[in-house]
Structures are given as C-alpha cells and as structure tokens.
Amino acid sequence: MLDAGLKDQLKAYLGNLRQPIELVASLGEGQGSKDMLALLEDVAAASDKVSLNLAGDDARKPSFAIERDAKDSPQDKVGVRFAGLPLGHEFTSLVLALLHVGGHPPKFDAEVLDQVRALEGPFRFETYFSQSCQNCPDVVQALNTMAALNPNITHVAIDGALFQQEVEARQVMAVPTVLLNGQPFGQGRMSLEQIVAKLDTGAVAREAEKIKAKDAFEVLIVGGGPAGAAAAIYAARKGIRVGVAAERFGGQVLDTMAIENFISVSHTEGPRLVAGLEQHVKDYDADIMNLQKAVGLVPAQTPGGLIEIKLENGASLTSRSVILATGARWRNVNVPGEAEYKNKGVAYCPHCDGPLFKGKRVAVIGGGNSGVEAAIDLAGIVAHVTLIEFDSQLRADAVLQRKLASLPNVKIVTSAMTTEIHGDGTRVSGLTYKDRNHDSAHRVDLEGVFVQIGLVPNTEWLKDSGVALSNRGEIEVDYRGETSLPGVFAAGDATTTPYKQIVIAMGEGSKSALSAFDYLIRLEPAVPAQSAAA
C-alpha cells in the first residue's frame, strides 16, 4: 500500500511513540477493505509498539480504531476511528492520530489543551471528509487530538466518497461536515481553537478580558494572511511592540490547493505555506491574537495618538499605527437560491467538494482561470459540467481553454447571466440562466453549482471609519501603502493594489510595515504607548 519512501518516513515518525497502541480493524469483503488491511499491515510493521487486531465489529466497514491500553486507567480510553482510507491529504492526520494516541504530546498551545481536557461531554463527533480536500485535515486532526486527550470525546473521520449511501441519507453535500451527537455542528475549515470556543461558552468572554488588559502596540496588523504575516515580520524586526489580530490566521491561502507561482518554490499547498508563515511570525516577538474579528476602527484623536480597533467580542486594541490586511473572500453570485442551498449543492471549493458529486451533473459559474480550472477538475469526477460565463468569451489562459474544450463531458455557455438556483427544499435541483444575446431564459437540471467568480474585499467594517474605499470596496492606498487616515496603512487583497497574488501581497505587507515604522520615527513629539485599560 505505502511506497518505500512513505514507509521509511512512517517508521521514523512512529519512533516517537511513548506507549503501545492497537489498530482494531472492522473489515468487509470489498476492495476498500483489502486496501485498508494492506495499509494497516504497513503501519503495524513500522513499529513494535503498534499491533493489529482484525476482530473489530464496527458497523462501518471498512474502518479501524486507534486504541491504547486503558485496562488500568479508564481515563486513558481513546475514541479515534477512521472509516475509509486516510490517504491523500489525510495521511498526515493518520500519522498524528497514531502519535497522539501513543502519548506523543500535541503541538498546540498548552492553555487550549487544558481547555480540551476540562470538557465534560459526552461529545460524539463525526466528520465527513474527502481525500482531495485541503480544508479537511485541520478539522480531522483537531477532533482526533481532542479524542486522544479526553475520554469524554470520540471522533470518527468518514470518507464521504466511500460511504456514499450514508452521505446521501444525511444530505452531506460539502466537506468537511461535522456532526456532534448526531446533529450538525459545523462545515468548512475549523481550527482546534474554534472548535473548543464553540464547546466552551465562557472562552470568548475570558479572551476578551485578556485582550482588554493589553498595552497599546506600536504597530497593530489586522489580518493574518500573506500581507499581514509579512508586515508582522518586518515590523517585529525593528524591535518595536507588534500585534496581529486575525479572524483566521492564513486567510484565503488556507483554502488554496496548489501554489505553483511562489517564486523559488516550484510547488506548495496553502496550508503548508500558512504553517511556515505562522512559525516565521512566532520566531519574532509578535503578539498573535487569532480568531479575533475586527468590527470597527476609531482614528486617533490627536496627531500621533492612539488608533482603536474594536473587536467582535467587545474588546478593543489600541496602537500608534495600524496596518489593514484583511484580505478578501469568494464573491457570491447573489441570485435567489444561492444562500438557501449553500453547502446543499452550492459550493465554492471544487477540490474539497467535487468527490461528493461523483457521477452527477454540475455547473461552474465563472470563465476565468479559477472557473475553467474547476471545470477541468470536476470533469474527471462528475457526469457532466456546464460552464456558465457572463462575458461573450472565456477569460482564462489559452492553455486552460484548450484543455477544457477537449473534454467530452463539458458544455461551455457564454453571454449567460445566472438568474436563479433551484432546489427541492433540501438540495439543488437546477439552475436558470438568461441568454444575454437573445434575452431568453434556459433551465439546466443538475445537482451541484460551483461558484468561481472572483473575490470581494473584507472591508465592510471600515465604511464609517474615515478610511477611503473605492467603488469596489477596496482600501485606497498610495505607493507607500498609506491610506486616507494618518497612521493607518493597508496591504494585500483588500486594497486597490492591482494583481491579487500571494507574492505581491507579501511585498505590499513588507512595504506597509516599513512605511509604518518610518511614520513612527518621524512623529514629533513621539507619543508613548499607553495602557489600553487606562
């Protein structure tokens, strides 16, 4: 099952096991069970601390549990299970689950791990994933870690492509989808901190109190994507007090599958790049405040005074200078049915959710690079793809258009405006578009709609702040990254800087940090940082 290179890596990783573990397999007669047996045999052969038990009787077949001996210590009982093969993006989830059940300490903040251990439960989690989903591993790994630490928590990760009947019965149409005690808990990427915050209702209030007590910063970056991370590194290297308030560290890059134009790195993936960015920021003395959504900006009342950033949890942060790097999000098509059927057939990530539509009919809205790439990827999975483009021609690169045109199960419709997404109350059943040349309406019967029409800046919270925005909602900046407000700078996809690219965002973030530092040293007189609690 595993090639020689993976076997060597696995053997090295499992050398960190601190106590014996057992793989308890529940297998059937199909090819999936044969593949799982081969995988588990490879895992067991990689360490003398791993044993294989084929007497499992779980209803989901094929599946396996990862257990440790809890005869003498019931509190050490573990409930970690994989239903389906944890390969592709989930192979790392398997390795980490083996290590954490085997006693190797998870690499999370100690305070968060203490919160996990204190949860009373019972919490029975089920996560539906696909092997091609880059958002799923974070969720699977977080819940596996929780189950490894707390006997009141169990988790089973289920490959939706392998358990199609179950997916249909539970109307799972997007991954990752998480159920708690049989009821919907969440969809999409979630970090351990986000999951714990949903379970520990007092966590938000406690975090707000901690933030209120923080002293003012010299530079405060709002946003944790490539622009925000670069700004934090450049500012922290100046030896000044730097803070980063991010709704989700990594931003849109976390949802990016393949990155092949990051200079000097021929290929990487979004989550891997974000992990490197976060570690690089942590190498410096920067205060990272994750899961903090900004909802307001109050300009300094005097030249060189403190700028206030209001947060959703009721707390505020103050700083002598601020860098806005809030990035952008997927643009909605904004037609009837889109909101109603989001995650019920309306999707935004073909890599994540494509496998759930195997053998079905789907549409892709958007004829740029993202839309055409999505259609090409989906054509290898689904029965038929209809690509709908508003313009009279596709806008994607020529090489992508040639590839798309060569696929037999793709129909390209241009000069078409999507007017409605239809459904039966539980899932998508079709789409209507208007032919812009003849003003006629056409309905396409299908089961899924993938929206790929670009990005919208995350700047709604700035509309009454005094920060000048373009008619597209982008923050207006000059060549130094300065905004219309003194001491407020901006960088990345939320700004008017053209070409929304990772490498450009990093450069703009670095420039904004240098501009902010230049602003600080030229203040006359310098205003000392004051306590936010004062």
Side-chain angles (χ1 to χ4, degrees), residues 424-459:
D424 61 8
T426 60
R427 63 184 65 194
V428 165
S429 62
L431 173 151
T432 294
Y433 67 87
K434 183 176 75 172
D435 184 327
R436 297 174 56 234
N437 293 324
H438 302 95
D439 202 29
S440 56
H442 302 267
R443 173 169 172 141
V444 181
D445 292 327
L446 41 73
E447 290 77 39
V449 177
F450 289 82
V451 180
Q452 301 281 290
I453 56 173
L455 302 172
V456 59
N458 297 317
T459 58

Side-chain angles (χ1 to χ4, degrees), residues 345-358:
V346 175
Y348 300 84
C349 179
H351 301 294
C352 302
D353 301 331
L356 300 178
F357 294 85
K358 182 178 181 180

Side-chain angles (χ1 to χ4, degrees), residues 49 60 64 92 132 134 139 164 222 226 230 295 317 334 343 445:
K49 284 188 169 65
R60 290 190 181 97
F64 66 95
T92 300
S132 60
Q134 73 270 25
V139 178
Q164 287 260 334
V222 183
V295 295
L317 295 164
N334 291 322
N343 295 324
D445 292 327

Side-chain angles (χ1 to χ4, degrees), residues 25-26 30 39 45 70 73 82 128 132 185 223 242 281 306 330 382 439:
S26 300
L39 172 64
S73 303
F82 287 94
Y128 290 89
S132 60
F185 177 78
V242 176
V281 175
L306 293 177
W330 288 114
V382 304
D439 202 29

Side-chain angles (χ1 to χ4, degrees), residues 408-482:
N409 61 335
V410 174
K411 179 181 179 181
I412 301 170
V413 182
T414 57
S415 298
M417 182 174 70
T418 303
T419 57
E420 186 173 359
I421 296 172
H422 307 285
D424 61 8
T426 60
R427 63 184 65 194
V428 165
S429 62
L431 173 151
T432 294
Y433 67 87
K434 183 176 75 172
D435 184 327
R436 297 174 56 234
N437 293 324
H438 302 95
D439 202 29
S440 56
H442 302 267
R443 173 169 172 141
V444 181
D445 292 327
L446 41 73
E447 290 77 39
V449 177
F450 289 82
V451 180
Q452 301 281 290
I453 56 173
L455 302 172
V456 59
N458 297 317
T459 58
E460 292 88 349
W461 63 286
L462 294 169
K463 287 183 178 178
D464 298 321
S465 67
V467 174
L469 304 177
S470 72
N471 58 7
R472 298 180 60 185
E474 296 173 326
I475 303 168
E476 294 183 350
V477 293
D478 65 9
Y479 70 100
R480 293 171 56 86
E482 295 176 320

Side-chain angles (χ1 to χ4, degrees), residues 18-53:
R18 298 187 178 183
Q19 60 190 97
I21 59 176
E22 184 178 44
L23 307 176
V24 182
S26 300
L27 303 176
E29 300 298 326
Q31 186 60 46
S33 291
K34 294 177 182 177
D35 291 340
M36 179 171 287
L37 176 60
L39 172 64
L40 297 181
E41 288 175 340
D42 285 345
V43 174
S47 172
D48 57 7
K49 284 188 169 65
V50 181
S51 60
L52 177 57
N53 179 349

Side-chain angles (χ1 to χ4, degrees), residues 108-130:
F108 289 101
D109 183 79
E111 185 176 344
V112 176
L113 296 180
D114 286 341
Q115 283 182 266
V116 171
R117 295 185 182 97
L119 293 171
E120 296 183 358
F123 300 114
R124 180 172 56 86
F125 286 101
E126 299 166 284
T127 301
Y128 290 89
F129 71 89
S130 68

Side-chain angles (χ1 to χ4, degrees), residues 317-398:
L317 295 164
T318 57
S319 181
R320 295 174 66 198
S321 66
V322 167
I323 298 173
L324 304 173
T326 47
R329 63 187 183 276
W330 288 114
R331 186 182 297 276
N332 293 323
V333 69
N334 291 322
V335 298
E338 180 181 24
E340 294 86 339
Y341 293 103
K342 183 177 181 180
N343 295 324
K344 297 178 182 178
V346 175
Y348 300 84
C349 179
H351 301 294
C352 302
D353 301 331
L356 300 178
F357 294 85
K358 182 178 181 180
K360 298 181 179 180
R361 301 161 298 175
V362 304
V364 173
I365 301 176
N369 282 349
S370 295
V372 172
E373 287 174 351
I376 292 170
D377 288 344
L378 289 166
I381 302 171
V382 304
H384 188 270
V385 180
T386 302
L387 186 142
I388 298 174
E389 165 57 29
F390 182 86
D391 204 348
S392 60
Q393 59 186 4
L394 301 183
R395 293 167 287 107
D397 294 342

